Amino acid sequence: MSHEVHQEQELENTCSRDAQIDLFNLIGGSWPPAPKEPEHPEYGSVQLSPRRNMQHTNHHERVKSVNLINHITPERRRNRPTTSSNIQVTEDYSQNIKMVHEAKKNETSLLVDVCSGDGPEDLYDSPSLGSPRAVTSNTKPSCPSPEHLQDDIGVGSLVEVATDVDQNYYGVVRWIGLIEDIATAGVELEQSVCGLGDGGHKGTRLFSCGAGRALFVPLPLCRRDARFRDTPPPEPLRDERSDQPDCPVVTGVVPPLNSLGELAGKNRGIQGHHNSCYLDATLFAMFTFTSVFDALLYRPPEPEDSPHYSEVQRVLREEVVNPLRRHGYVRADRVMKLRTLLERLSDVPGLTSEEKDPEEFLNGLVAQLLRAEPFLKLSSGQEAYCYQLFVEKDEHITLPSVQQLLEQSFATSGVKLSEVPAAFIIQMPRFGKQYKLYQRVQPSPLLDVTDLIEGLPRQCAVCGSLARWECGACAAGGALDAGALCGACLRLAHAARPDHKATPLSICEEYANILESSPIPRVYMELFAVLCIETSHYVAFVKTGAGHDAPWCFFDSMADRKGERNGYNIPEIVEISELCAWLSEEGRALHAAAPLDRHLPAPAKRLLADAYMCFYRSPDLAMYR
């Protein structure tokens, strides 16, 4: 009896290997060889079981790579005249390429639309891919037609193509059609692969993408991207949450607000949900009342961008920023769509549920997915999106300003900014959520960056004329501008300091005579937002307009709550008319009169004692970035 069972198992394994489709030859490459030729004349005439999908090839054989479409339909291949990849495609073949689905957006899919130049015509002779594995489906490829295509995969779907070397390739379906009566999907891969094209096939442009990202495979070889299947799309809030304000998608261009207006109150701003305060406060600060970051919303896609770039940008612009600016409210499920994309597509885990910091969110969204140009460019050649202050504590200072800390940090590091930034994001000298170098820090309403920019004309610290020299040792004990000296003052100052070494400043001689006889211009940046954290909850103070006297508001995405387990958070925006005074000398007087944090007014305590990140903008440069 056991002998008969053993024979049946061997027979089944033999049939499985014979039924395995030679999918290695469908794409080609340098991987180990594919299985034998299929016995069935039509691809997909029998369904492959999951166990057959995992069959591996014989690693001691190699077969020559052939064209994908020719290999799928062997009988057609025998009847079709032989052509090389360099011969112009015939009119009959062009007619065999039939588009089944026009490019459209599925409700739960992602679709990008990037442009690229013409790529190589033959896409299948040399890519370094493993052989794709067929997946079980209810389709009937033997009779390919629109009604027989897979129901759950369409243009815009996130899919993966599994290979016989246990390596998956992920991408977005950009085109579905019939190529010689075979249901075929054109997939734009997340990463470039040597040998692939840019969406053209045999001289016909089927879709456009970056070079090396277009892969054409039979539709049954595509399956839903497993990275997204376990995360259902956010659903509209129901039940107890049905009384919340509506949050429609807003298309087009919506400018930022220039005043608080009627925005103050409850159920205003961005609704918090599942530890989202780090993201809510950052987005509110970046987009509500300023356009300095609007390039993130409108930059056209480039071939180097992720295939998901346009969808991430669209969700950010049309489901978060535009509703916030037009209606003053963003519901949590809209934000959850953005968080889900960030978690699945960036290198930052836990963005949908865990506590995170604003710099982690900025790294995932701005740096990785949107690939924005870094906001800061340093003279050392480094680039960054935010600047972390690293300073040594001065025990004689109890309330340092951001200006003091920034100059001390730059003097210690010995680097400068290579250009004036449009936006300057500064992280306070604190580590983690608890440890703070200074118990209180006063944000500077205007940040003088003249002495931080390499190549800008500077004023002599002694006589006020045009500075020609800079001494780092002279600036180490005080403000950064103390190291700028003209030639005469340098000789006097260094006469008693033989160990000090000065370096010449680069001055444009064309303007030297003008600068010698006129005041040296100063470059300032304006504070427009402060993110604060107390324990593990982020809130934001945001300036509601331009100008020194513009009022400020306080935003908390989880200021209140309705209901318990099935309830929801209530965001709130409150006008803070006293904040401008807290940023001036009155704030220092308040600090001196209230040595303990509990003696300060609650908003002042959050501003001075809990500041985590300060946002500055250059009014002169913001419109050009």
Side-chain angles (χ1 to χ4, degrees):
M1 184 68 179
S2 61
H3 179 67
E4 295 178 356
V5 173
H6 181 68
Q7 288 182 337
E8 291 179 358
Q9 291 178 346
E10 289 185 348
L11 179 61
E12 182 180 356
N13 292 337
T14 302
C15 294
S16 174
R17 288 192 301 269
D18 292 342
Q20 175 73 33
I21 296 175
D22 188 359
L23 299 178
F24 166 78
N25 286 334
L26 302 186
I27 298 181
S30 58
W31 296 109
K36 301 177 181 178
E37 285 282 329
E39 295 179 354
H40 303 282
E42 293 291 339
Y43 172 77
S45 57
V46 295
Q47 286 191 348
L48 300 182
S49 65
R51 188 164 59 85
R52 290 176 180 174
N53 292 342
M54 298 303 295
Q55 292 287 337
H56 291 282
T57 61
N58 183 351
H59 295 274
H60 300 289
E61 301 178 2
R62 286 190 179 275
V63 289
K64 186 177 179 181
S65 173
V66 295
N67 182 273
L68 171 63
I69 305 302
N70 291 345
H71 185 80
I72 292 176
T73 53
E75 292 187 357
R76 273 186 172 274
R77 184 183 65 227
R78 288 192 290 268
N79 297 329
R80 183 181 166 194
T82 304
T83 59
S84 67
S85 60
N86 297 325
I87 298 178
Q88 180 66 30
V89 63
T90 64
E91 181 178 356
D92 293 339
Y93 178 75
S94 300
Q95 294 176 351
N96 286 332
I97 300 179
K98 305 175 184 178
M99 181 169 293
V100 176
H101 296 300
E102 295 292 339
K104 63 181 180 181
K105 187 178 184 305
N106 293 352
E107 182 178 357
T108 59
S109 305
L110 302 181
L111 174 63
V112 298
D113 183 17
V114 298
C115 300
S116 62
D118 292 336
E121 291 185 356
D122 198 339
L123 307 181
Y124 306 103
D125 286 346
S126 60
S128 301
L129 289 171
S131 303
R133 294 197 300 266
V135 296
T136 303
S137 68
N138 297 325
T139 60
K140 296 180 180 180
S142 59
C143 184
S145 62
E147 60 268 23
H148 292 120
L149 296 178
Q150 287 177 302
D151 295 334
D152 61 339
I153 292 181
V155 173
S157 295
L158 292 173
V159 297
E160 60 180 282
V161 180
T163 70
D164 58 5
V165 291
D166 294 331
Q167 181 177 3
N168 292 352
Y169 291 87
Y170 302 95
V172 178
V173 176
R174 297 292 310 280
W175 179 88
I176 292 179
L178 301 180
I179 298 181
E180 294 196 344
D181 295 331
I182 298 298
T184 305
V187 181
E188 180 185 0
L189 300 180
E190 289 184 349
Q191 298 179 344
S192 299
V193 176
C194 179
L196 296 185
D198 62 351
H201 180 60
K202 295 292 184 181
T204 303
R205 170 65 56 187
L206 302 183
F207 65 92
S208 296
C209 68
R213 289 185 176 180
L215 175 66
F216 292 90
V217 295
L219 187 60
L221 301 187
C222 299
R223 61 189 180 195
R224 284 285 184 179
D225 191 335
R227 300 174 300 173
F228 289 86
R229 284 185 297 188
D230 58 350
T231 303
E235 298 181 357
L237 303 176
R238 302 185 180 94
D239 301 332
E240 296 182 21
R241 296 166 281 188
S242 61
D243 59 341
Q244 293 186 76
D246 192 18
C247 184
V249 175
V250 179
T251 60
V253 178
V254 180
L257 303 177
N258 54 21
S259 64
L260 186 60
E262 299 179 355
L263 193 61
K266 290 193 173 183
N267 276 324
R268 310 298 284 169
I270 303 175
Q271 183 185 36
H273 181 63
H274 278 309
N275 298 317
S276 66
C277 60
Y278 68 92
L279 180 144
D280 305 329
T282 306
L283 289 177
F284 187 86
M286 292 175 64
F287 294 106
T288 310
F289 298 101
T290 182
S291 61
V292 69
F293 298 107
D294 276 17
L296 302 175
L297 306 176
Y298 304 110
R299 179 179 71 81
E302 299 174 351
E304 297 79 11
D305 290 324
S306 164
H308 315 293
Y309 169 85
S310 292
E311 178 66 7
V312 174
Q313 186 186 56
R314 186 201 65 78
V315 171
L316 174 64
R317 180 182 64 248
E318 299 180 0
E319 301 196 32
V320 179
V321 176
N322 284 357
L324 176 63
R325 290 175 172 179
R326 177 162 295 176
H327 303 297
Y329 179 75
V330 181
R331 205 171 53 216
D333 59 310
R334 300 293 186 187
V335 181
M336 183 58 73
K337 290 183 65 174
L338 179 63
R339 297 172 68 188
T340 301
L341 289 171
L342 294 179
E343 178 166 350
R344 298 304 185 183
L345 302 175
S346 72
D347 295 337
V348 184
L351 288 172
T352 58
S353 58
E354 300 175 6
E355 295 179 358
K356 296 293 178 181
D357 294 322
E359 63 270 21
E360 296 178 276
F361 162 64
L362 290 173
N363 178 59
L365 175 66
V366 179
Q368 294 185 26
L369 294 184
L370 298 184
R371 293 181 60 251
E373 183 179 354
F375 306 143
L376 303 178
K377 298 181 179 181
L378 303 179
S379 59
S380 60
Q382 297 174 310
E383 297 179 334
Y385 295 91
C386 55
Y387 183 82
Q388 172 71 63
L389 293 174
F390 290 104
V391 296
E392 293 185 3
K393 185 175 182 179
D394 188 340
E395 298 295 342
H396 302 288
I397 300 177
T398 58
L399 184 63
S401 67
V402 171
Q403 179 79 50
Q404 291 175 298
L405 297 176
L406 185 64
E407 291 185 0
Q408 183 182 350
S409 180
F410 268 79
T412 302
S413 64
V415 299
K416 291 192 173 183
L417 297 173
S418 59
E419 61 182 31
V420 180
F424 199 172
I425 304 176
I426 304 174
Q427 290 181 247
M428 298 300 100
R430 52 185 301 168
F431 308 95
K433 296 178 175 63
Q434 302 298 330
Y435 176 74
K436 296 181 288 186
L437 185 65
Y438 290 97
Q439 291 305 307
R440 296 176 183 176
V441 174
Q442 185 181 39
S444 302
L446 288 178
L447 197 66
D448 188 345
V449 296
T450 309
D451 299 301
L452 308 180
I453 310 299
E454 186 179 43
L456 281 187
R458 299 170 62 185
Q459 190 175 18
C460 176
V462 179
C463 66
S465 61
L466 180 65
R468 297 280 186 167
W469 299 87
E470 181 180 31
C471 178
C474 292
L480 196 62
D481 58 358
L485 300 167
C486 65
C489 294
L490 175 68
R491 290 189 294 270
L492 293 175
H494 280 199
R497 305 170 185 172
D499 56 327
H500 285 203
K501 302 297 182 182
T503 57
L505 294 173
S506 58
I507 303 296
C508 180
E509 294 300 330
E510 183 179 355
Y511 301 103
N513 294 333
I514 301 176
L515 295 172
E516 289 282 5
S517 58
S518 62
I520 307 300
R522 310 294 295 180
V523 179
Y524 293 95
M525 301 190 72
E526 175 191 12
L527 177 72
F528 70 91
V530 180
L531 299 189
C532 301
I533 180 173
E534 182 181 16
T535 309
S536 59
H537 182 57
Y538 283 97
V539 295
F541 292 92
V542 182
K543 200 172 189 179
T544 63
H548 179 69
D549 298 328
W552 286 70
C553 71
F554 172 77
F555 167 68
D556 187 348
S557 64
M558 304 178 183
D560 200 353
R561 184 169 179 84
K562 181 175 181 179
E564 297 297 332
R565 181 174 180 180
N566 295 324
Y568 58 90
N569 293 312
I570 299 176
E572 184 178 17
I573 300 175
V574 180
E575 183 176 0
I576 307 293
S577 57
E578 307 92 345
L579 192 136
C580 288
W582 296 338
L583 300 177
S584 63
E585 290 301 321
E586 186 174 330
R588 295 190 170 274
L590 185 64
H591 161 74
L596 299 179
D597 289 346
R598 66 174 180 267
H599 296 155
L600 290 171
K605 182 264 177 186
R606 281 187 160 178
L607 178 68
L608 300 178
D610 299 330
Y612 184 86
M613 186 177 281
C614 292
F615 289 74
Y616 288 86
R617 64 188 171 194
S618 172
D620 298 327
L621 296 177
M623 66 181 69
Y624 301 107
R625 300 298 177 89

